[in-house]
């Protein structure tokens, strides 16, 4: 049986399109110092660092070669991961494994992306296999456009429902001091009037490219009790891999394929006795680069029956003051510093459990939360967080 | 991208020849930018000092690797230093800043505790040795743009 793992420190930078005032390590250092301050700890207390960044998205290969000092990782053990969109989620899993196994007691999980440096879509395009998909390369946007069309066709969702998801996200982002896009949207027409990025995905249907970093400090039960009065327990994590191409990347119109999301959530639900998701979990922070994908994920994660994701947003179930809030932070559609994004999901879920989310604190009491991530190489990572364990 | 079908060991193999192009803009950041603009404006090489570890970093960096202190104290170091190691690259390559042969050296400037990577110029490859003394040669002011190559090279003393 795994040892208990607590989140004892949370730090993030503010997020925006451009940060020419800092280089990559300096930006990461801001989040590291914020997490240390949150935990009231010294860098000497950190035994190891696990960090996530999608190298080449900044046009720089092996960014870890400039990253030890500002990250506080000099002379310490650690690993770097680059698993696409899930990079930060993979790093959370690594940190969890090390503390749960008892090999380390206090570790730091760091994620960052500085997208003013490179061209993320160009880098994603370079990931495609020349023989099958090079000519069809439209980066992440094209994949999510196909997903949107599939979802529209199979579920019966209307563009209005996607617009409602965007409005919900923007409401959260406007209340979140760290969020990137705060648009102040007031009507679904504003979303429906925005132009097409890649049909049928509209400009306001998709996430921005953000610069930012997010850091978690994880500790064993014994250490956690000394560090904080409000530990949030990282009860469990799950990682599942799948090859994207043959299964259809983000949505199979035939509906016959199994997704990593299905496998991952069924595993974690089973291990933790979760049989009715909306009863047993109070809130979710999911990785939704587009509003359409958010509705799709409601279904994949069994927040509702298949084909009914759009009904959750229509009924207001997933609003900040709803029965089952999803992404009160504003989510990925408002803020996407890729390597940091899954760590922000876990961080935001933890803040909700601590009751420290401020203006975007969910109305209902949050004792248990789920955080997810997805990405191009089709990993799914999940984290289950609890106040009591 | 060029696609060809080639016979390789009796097999008819499809090959896709391409080149990956990724645009890139890197900010030197707050500390790096000050280091570079000081070279551009004053032809002076500076570093940051960690009081705790009594260590001077050149090029200047924002954090001490050993103690995690944020480094705010700037010091000017000498334009003269000692060669810690070097290599000679005789093969011309597009990425080289000058014509081949290029002599790359790690130079510890007087007053610094770290090695600084730059080129050694105006030197006969035969005379190079570890421990030799060198001095920075700055480009004329009107040619300096805020690049580390505003130092043309280090010449033997
Ligand atoms: Zn120091």
């Amino acid at each position: 049986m795994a040892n208990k793992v607590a989140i004892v420190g949370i730090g993030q930078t503010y997020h925006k399109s451009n940060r020419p005032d800092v280089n990559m390590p300096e930006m990461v250092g801001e989040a590291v110092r914020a997490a240390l301050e949150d935990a009231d700890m010294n860098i000497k207390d950190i035994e190891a660092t696990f960090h996530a960044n999608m190298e080449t998205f900044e046009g720089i290969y092996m960014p870890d070669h400039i990253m030890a000092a500002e990250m506080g990782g000099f002379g310490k053990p650690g690993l770097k991961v680059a698993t696409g969109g899930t990079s930060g989620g993979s790093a959370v899993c690594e940190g969890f494994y090390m503390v749960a196994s008892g090999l380390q007691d206090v570790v730091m999980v760091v994620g960052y992306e500085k997208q003013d440096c490179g061209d993320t879509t160009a880098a994603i395009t370079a990931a495609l296999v020349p023989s099958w998909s090079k000519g069809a390369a439209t980066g992440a946007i094209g994949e999510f456009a196909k997903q949107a069309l599939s979802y529209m066709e199979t579920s019966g969702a209307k563009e209005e429902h996607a617009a409602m998801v965007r409005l919900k996200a923007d409401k959260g982002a406007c209340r979140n001091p760290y969020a990137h896009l705060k648009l102040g949207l007031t009507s679904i027409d504003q979303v429906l009037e925005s132009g097409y990025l890649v049909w049928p995905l509209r400009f306001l249907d998709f996430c921005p490219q953000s610069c930012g970093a997010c850091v978690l400090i994880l500790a064993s039960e014994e250490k956690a009790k000394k560090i904080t009065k409000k530990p949030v327990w990282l009860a469990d994590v799950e990682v599942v891999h799948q090859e994207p191409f043959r299964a259809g990347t983000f949505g199979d119109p035939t509906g016959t394929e199994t997704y990593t999301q299905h496998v991952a959530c069924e595993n974690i639900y089973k291990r933790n006795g979760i049989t009715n998701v909306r009863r047993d979990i109070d809130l979710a922070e999911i990785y939704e680069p587009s509003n359409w994908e958010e509705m799709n994920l409601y279904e994949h994660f069994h927040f509702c029956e298949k084909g009914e994701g759009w009904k959750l947003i229509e009924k207001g179930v997933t609003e900040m003051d709803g029965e089952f809030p999803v992404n009160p932070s504003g989510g990925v559609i408002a803020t996407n510093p890729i390597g940091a994004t899954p760590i922000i999901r876990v961080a935001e879920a933890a803040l909700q459990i601590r009751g420290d989310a401020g203006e975007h604190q969910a109305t209902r009491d949050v004792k248990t939360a789920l955080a997810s991530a997805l990405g191009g190489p089709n990993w799914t990572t999940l984290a289950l967080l609890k106040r009591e364990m | 991208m060029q696609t060809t079908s080639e016979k390789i060991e009796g097999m008819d193999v499809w090959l896709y020849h391409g080149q990956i192009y990724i645009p890139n803009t890197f900010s030197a950041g707050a500390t790096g930018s000050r280091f570079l603009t000081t070279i551009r404006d004053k032809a002076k090489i500076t570093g940051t000092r960690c009081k705790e570890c009594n260590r001077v970093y050149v090029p200047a960096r924002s954090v001490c690797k050993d103690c995690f202190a944020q480094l705010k104290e700037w010091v000017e170091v000498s334009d003269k230093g000692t060669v810690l190691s070097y290599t000679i690259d005789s093969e011309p390559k597009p990425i080289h800043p000058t014509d081949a042969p290029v002599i790359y050296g790690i130079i510890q400037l007087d007053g610094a505790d770290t090695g600084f990577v730059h080129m050694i110029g105006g030197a006969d490859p035969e005379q190079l040795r570890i421990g030799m003394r060198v001095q920075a040669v700055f480009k004329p002011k009107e040619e300096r743009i805020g690049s580390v190559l505003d130092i043309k090279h280090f010449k033997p003393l």
Side-chain angles (χ1 to χ4, degrees):
Chain A
M1 188 58 202
N3 295 323
K4 284 167 75 173
V5 180
I7 297 167
V8 297
I10 299 168
Q12 62 177 310
T13 61
Y14 64 89
H15 303 278
K16 55 187 293 209
S17 299
N18 293 289
R19 284 296 307 274
D21 57 314
V22 285
N23 63 19
M24 289 162 71
E26 287 166 352
M27 184 186 76
V28 170
E30 292 175 7
V32 170
R33 285 168 201 277
L36 289 169
E37 192 177 327
D38 181 56
D40 193 18
M41 289 175 81
N42 188 287
I43 194 71
K44 290 189 175 72
D45 304 324
I46 305 294
E47 291 171 41
T49 58
F50 299 95
H51 70 276
N53 170 263
M54 259 320 292
E55 54 184 41
T56 70
F57 284 12
E58 281 94 351
I60 286 177
Y61 193 52
M62 297 191 291
D64 34 325
H65 83 288
I66 50 171
M67 211 47 82
E70 272 84 351
M71 196 177 279
F74 186 81
K76 291 175 184 175
L79 290 165
K80 186 200 72 176
V81 284
T83 57
T86 51
S87 297
S90 307
V92 169
C93 292
E94 286 176 343
F96 175 87
Y97 297 151
M98 294 311 280
V99 178
S101 67
L103 290 172
Q104 283 158 346
D105 286 322
V106 184
V107 305
M108 198 162 62
V109 177
V110 181
Y112 61 95
E113 212 76 50
K114 196 165 183 294
Q115 293 187 80
D116 59 356
C117 289
D119 183 334
T120 300
T121 295
I124 290 175
T125 302
L128 295 171
V129 176
S131 45
W132 315 127
S133 44
K134 201 86 177 180
T138 49
I141 306 166
E143 294 304 326
F144 283 99
K146 284 180 249 172
Q147 181 275 328
L149 185 62
S150 301
Y151 187 75
M152 224 182 284
E153 291 284 316
T154 55
S155 73
K158 302 270 182 289
E159 277 204 286
E160 284 75 10
H161 297 109
M164 288 176 204
V165 175
R166 180 68 213 225
L167 232 60
K168 170 179 76 69
D170 189 51
K171 204 186 298 170
C174 287
R175 292 167 170 227
N176 177 355
Y178 299 104
H180 177 178
L181 293 182
K182 299 161 185 274
L183 303 172
L185 297 173
T186 51
S187 82
I188 58 172
D189 290 340
Q190 289 170 291
V191 182
L192 299 178
E193 282 160 11
S194 69
Y196 290 115
L197 263 179
V198 174
W199 184 88
L201 212 58
R202 295 179 181 276
F203 188 68
L204 291 181
D205 289 340
F206 207 61
C207 62
Q209 297 192 343
S210 314
C211 298
C214 185
V215 173
L216 298 174
I217 299 172
L218 306 182
S220 64
E221 185 176 15
E222 197 186 326
K223 294 274 185 187
K225 281 178 181 162
K226 290 176 192 154
I227 297 165
T228 177
K229 288 191 180 66
K230 287 199 280 187
V232 174
W233 301 103
L234 194 49
D236 201 0
V237 297
E238 179 67 12
V239 193
V240 172
H241 195 203
Q242 170 191 31
E243 213 175 307
F245 173 67
R246 294 176 73 88
T249 304
F250 287 116
D252 167 27
T254 66
T256 53
E257 293 281 359
T258 300
Y259 295 98
T260 54
Q261 285 96 347
H262 296 153
V263 181
C265 74
E266 280 155 22
N267 288 348
I268 207 167
Y269 293 162
K270 198 171 173 188
R271 279 203 300 273
N272 294 277
I274 294 162
T275 51
N276 177 333
V277 179
R278 271 160 53 197
R279 182 196 64 205
D280 299 337
I281 297 175
D282 304 322
L283 171 145
E285 273 284 340
I286 59 173
Y287 194 115
E288 34 57 90
S290 86
N291 41 9
W292 289 98
E293 178 65 5
E294 175 161 329
M295 294 185 282
N296 197 31
L297 289 173
Y298 291 169
E299 300 177 18
H300 285 333
F301 292 142
H302 306 308
F303 300 166
C304 60
E305 296 298 320
K306 182 121 190 76
E308 301 198 334
W310 56 273
K311 293 182 185 168
L312 292 188
I313 190 70
E314 196 175 71
K315 290 179 190 153
V317 171
T318 53
E319 297 281 347
M320 200 182 296
D321 59 357
E323 166 218 321
F324 184 76
V326 176
N327 293 14
S329 63
V332 183
I333 201 167
T335 309
N336 194 3
I338 298 167
T341 301
I343 304 180
I344 298 173
R345 306 278 70 71
V346 179
E348 287 290 344
L351 288 172
Q352 291 286 343
I353 289 176
R354 266 176 27 177
D356 288 343
E359 291 285 299
H360 64 288
Q361 181 73 43
T363 306
R364 65 161 300 168
D365 187 36
V366 181
K367 294 192 183 79
T368 304
L370 182 76
S372 82
L374 57 75
N378 259 24
W379 298 83
T380 287
T381 64
L382 294 174
L384 184 68
L385 294 82
K386 292 185 177 181
R387 186 185 292 159
E388 310 286 345
M389 215 174 118
Chain B
M1 189 193 302
Q2 186 199 351
T3 306
T4 58
S5 172
E6 291 175 23
K7 293 274 185 204
I8 297 174
E9 293 178 2
M11 264 178 75
D12 198 4
V13 180
W14 284 94
L15 298 175
Y16 300 82
H17 308 279
Q19 198 165 18
I20 294 171
Y21 171 72
I22 301 175
N24 172 238
T25 307
F26 187 80
S27 167
T31 307
S33 295
R34 178 164 166 179
F35 173 82
L36 293 168
T37 53
T38 306
I39 292 174
R40 180 193 65 193
D41 299 340
K42 299 178 181 164
K44 286 186 192 312
I45 304 172
T46 50
T48 45
R49 179 170 168 271
C50 178
K51 290 190 197 77
E52 206 63 35
C53 306
N54 195 25
R55 169 181 258 270
V56 173
Y57 290 93
V58 177
R61 58 180 310 158
S62 54
V63 166
C64 176
K65 70 182 173 67
D66 288 321
C67 73
F68 200 58
Q70 285 177 298
L71 307 179
K72 305 284 185 199
E73 186 189 338
W74 285 79
V75 292
E76 186 186 334
V77 296
S78 174
D79 61 349
K80 300 186 186 70
T82 305
V83 174
L84 301 177
S85 191
Y86 63 91
T87 185
I88 304 167
D89 194 343
S90 310
E91 180 77 20
K93 296 185 190 78
I95 199 166
H96 283 164
T98 61
D99 293 337
V102 184
I103 305 167
Y104 288 105
I106 303 176
I107 298 143
Q108 185 173 354
L109 294 165
D110 298 345
D113 293 295
T114 57
F116 180 51
V117 177
H118 216 287
M119 292 178 290
I120 299 172
D124 173 5
E126 297 294 315
Q127 76 174 112
L128 292 169
R129 58 185 169 76
I130 288 175
M132 74 188 287
R133 297 283 294 162
V134 291
Q135 182 176 19
V137 176
F138 293 91
K139 287 181 181 168
K141 189 166 176 46
E142 61 276 12
E143 289 177 28
R144 297 203 296 264
I145 56 169
S147 157
V148 76
L149 296 175
D150 288 354
I151 301 171
K152 191 181 173 201
H153 54 241
F154 284 79
K155 65 173 186 194
L157 278 177

